[in-house]
Amino acid sequence: MTTAKIAVSLPTELVEQAHRAVAEGRASSVSAYVARALEEQAKLDDLASLLEEMLTETGGPLNRAEQKAADRALGR
């Protein structure tokens, strides 16, 4: 994979968390930590798009009765 260098502004707390992850060996670098976070967000975005597409194809979001039935089926 090729890489590109960019500059971003982040809340101090997030930067500190990234540095802790590196210090604790959970990430090889701050860049790797941020890249992994962006990859996870991209997956979530893709899933959200897929869900929206599926809902469109099947008649839209669940109505209240359908949601209750789904919750019961899932043991909620």
Side-chain angles (χ1 to χ4, degrees):
M1 174 190 294
T2 60
T3 60
K5 189 169 185 161
I6 64 169
V8 296
S9 298
L10 300 170
T12 302
E13 298 80 22
L14 291 178
V15 174
E16 291 169 354
Q17 187 173 1
H19 283 290
R20 275 194 305 277
V22 173
E24 295 169 1
R26 294 183 286 115
S28 59
S29 66
V30 171
S31 290
Y33 185 86
V34 172
R36 188 171 65 223
L38 289 173
E39 287 172 357
E40 292 302 316
Q41 184 61 51
K43 288 177 189 177
L44 289 173
D45 292 346
D46 289 345
L47 285 172
S49 294
L50 178 60
L51 177 59
E52 186 63 35
E53 182 180 318
M54 291 170 64
L55 288 172
T56 298
E57 291 176 1
T58 60
L62 299 178
N63 63 37
R64 190 170 181 89
E66 293 168 330
Q67 183 64 53
K68 284 184 178 183
D71 287 343
R72 279 193 305 273
L74 294 171
R76 296 183 187 169

